[in-house]
Amino acid sequence: MTFAYQNPATHTFVPELWDAELLTQFDPLLVWAAPFVANNDYEGTIQKMGDVVHINSLMRPTVGDYTIADGMTAQRPETVDQKLPITEAKYLQVLIETVEQYQAAGGMNSPINQQMIRALARETDTFMGNVITKGATELPKIKATAGNIPAAMYGTILDMMLALDENDVPSGRYVVVSPRVKRYLVEHPAVANAAAYGEGGVTANGVVARLGGFTVASTTAMPKGVDIVAGHKAFATYASQFTGFREGQSEKFRADYIDTLHLYGGKIFRYPELDTKKADNTFDESKPTKGIVKAAVEWSA
C-alpha cells in the first residue's frame, strides 16, 4: 500500500507490521509484568484509559452430609466481582524528517526506538512491581552479616517456599530479587550449581535460574524497601493494550510523527478460599494476599 506522502515507487514503510514488532521487543524487557510473574488472562477489550475489566470468582460450595431423612439441600452458585481498572496511559511519539528515512534507518531496531521501548517497559514494570509488592504478605527482615549473606538469602527463599506451601499455592512459582541480593545469592552452591538442582543458564526476562520450583529473576525495578518477593502469577493480573501506531504530519514542524499509546492496569487477584469476602460480595483488598510474600534485607554495611 502506498501512502500519500510517499514517492510512487516507494513501498518500504509498512506500519501494519509494527504493532507485533513492538510487543516482541517489549515483552522480553519485563520482569514484574512478565507472564511468569503476572497473568494477563483478563485483558478483555481495552479501548481507553478508565476502562474496567470485570473478573468473577466462584465461591466454593459447602459439602453436606447426606441422610435418607433429610435428603439434599441445593445451593445457588455465588460469585464475587473483582474490578481491574485500566489506570495507566503512556505514550511514545517520535518526530522525524521523513517517514521513509526513518524506516530506512532501521525501523524498530533503530537505537532511538530501542531506547523508547526500554523506557516504556521500565514504566510498566515499575508500575506492576509496586502493585505486586504492595499487596504481598510481609515476612521478617533478613539479617545480613559478613559470612552468612549467601546462606541467609537462600534460607529466606526456602522460608518463602514454606509459606506458599502452607497456603497450597500451586507449582510454577517465581522469586524476584534485587541486584544486590542476586550478587550474593549466586554464591550459594544451590544457585551456582543450579544445573544440578533445577535449571541454569536462563537469562530471558531477567531470569537467573530455575531452582526448587521457583523461577528466579532479578530486576533493577525493585520497589523501595523490598529485596525479595516470591509468589505465583495467579495472584497478580496485568492487562495491557497497545492502541496501534499513528503517523502524520506535524502541525508545528516540517516533519512527520509516529506515535503509539499504551493502556494498562494491574491488581492483586483474590481467591475465596484465601481471602475475606465482604457483605457486598467483594473481597477485602486492604489485607495482603497469601499467595505472594516479600522480605527486606537489613544490610550490615
Side-chain angles (χ1 to χ4, degrees), residues 65-103:
D65 294 318
Y66 176 76
T67 64
I68 294 177
D70 298 329
M72 300 181 184
T73 301
Q75 302 174 51
R76 293 184 180 276
E78 185 179 354
T79 59
V80 184
D81 183 28
Q82 301 186 65
K83 297 179 178 66
L84 168 56
I86 306 306
T87 59
E88 308 303 305
K90 306 293 183 180
Y91 73 90
L92 296 174
Q93 187 173 82
V94 180
L95 202 62
I96 50 181
E97 289 300 322
T98 71
V99 173
E100 293 167 351
Q101 286 178 355
Y102 185 75
Q103 183 73 359

Side-chain angles (χ1 to χ4, degrees), residues 123-144:
E123 287 282 338
T124 303
D125 233 30
T126 300
F127 169 79
M128 276 307 297
N130 287 326
V131 169
I132 290 171
T133 55
K134 185 178 178 180
T137 297
E138 190 167 10
L139 299 184
K141 274 193 174 183
I142 309 161
K143 304 287 185 179

Side-chain angles (χ1 to χ4, degrees), residues 15-279:
E16 291 88 344
L17 300 179
W18 287 36
D19 280 335
E21 201 168 356
L22 175 60
L23 290 172
T24 299
Q25 298 192 38
F26 181 84
D27 287 347
L29 299 173
L30 304 177
V31 173
W32 293 113
F36 66 91
V37 175
N39 72 75
N40 58 357
D41 299 339
Y42 311 101
E43 284 187 335
T45 301
I46 305 169
Q47 295 181 342
K48 62 183 183 301
M49 184 177 178
D51 282 353
V52 176
V53 180
H54 288 264
I55 307 166
N56 277 316
S57 299
L58 182 64
M59 299 292 292
R60 181 176 295 174
T62 303
V63 177
D65 294 318
Y66 176 76
T67 64
I68 294 177
D70 298 329
M72 300 181 184
T73 301
Q75 302 174 51
R76 293 184 180 276
E78 185 179 354
T79 59
V80 184
D81 183 28
Q82 301 186 65
K83 297 179 178 66
L84 168 56
I86 306 306
T87 59
E88 308 303 305
K90 306 293 183 180
Y91 73 90
L92 296 174
Q93 187 173 82
V94 180
L95 202 62
I96 50 181
E97 289 300 322
T98 71
V99 173
E100 293 167 351
Q101 286 178 355
Y102 185 75
Q103 183 73 359
M108 294 304 292
N109 291 318
S110 68
I112 188 170
N113 259 8
Q114 288 294 310
Q115 291 304 313
M116 290 168 64
I117 292 170
R118 287 182 180 276
L120 192 59
R122 180 73 177 199
E123 287 282 338
T124 303
D125 233 30
T126 300
F127 169 79
M128 276 307 297
N130 287 326
V131 169
I132 290 171
T133 55
K134 185 178 178 180
T137 297
E138 190 167 10
L139 299 184
K141 274 193 174 183
I142 309 161
K143 304 287 185 179
T145 57
N148 84 325
I149 300 179
M153 303 299 110
Y154 185 68
T156 297
I157 291 177
L158 296 183
D159 289 341
M160 290 179 165
M161 178 180 68
L162 176 60
L164 298 179
D165 283 346
E166 290 177 340
N167 287 298
D168 296 319
V169 175
S171 59
R173 304 168 182 174
Y174 65 84
V175 171
V176 179
V177 301
S178 67
R180 192 172 184 182
V181 170
K182 173 188 172 183
R183 179 258 177 270
Y184 291 103
L185 187 61
V186 294
E187 288 187 9
H188 195 279
V191 179
N193 303 319
Y197 295 84
E199 182 181 347
V202 184
T203 57
N205 296 96
V207 172
V208 179
R210 291 193 173 97
L211 179 68
F214 286 112
T215 296
V216 184
S218 180
T219 178
T220 56
M222 207 75 180
K224 187 177 180 179
V226 181
D227 292 282
I228 305 179
V229 178
H232 190 281
K233 68 177 184 179
F235 293 87
T237 188
Y238 163 67
S240 167
Q241 177 69 54
F242 286 95
T243 62
F245 280 89
R246 299 187 313 166
E247 46 77 26
Q249 190 173 44
S250 170
E251 294 182 0
K252 185 176 180 181
F253 301 100
R254 294 179 62 85
D256 296 322
Y257 67 81
I258 299 175
D259 66 25
T260 187
L261 182 64
H262 185 205
L263 306 173
Y264 58 94
K267 74 173 291 153
I268 296 299
F269 192 55
R270 307 288 173 167
Y271 286 88
E273 290 75 34
L274 294 176
D275 296 286
T276 304
K277 183 177 76 73
K278 298 194 296 185

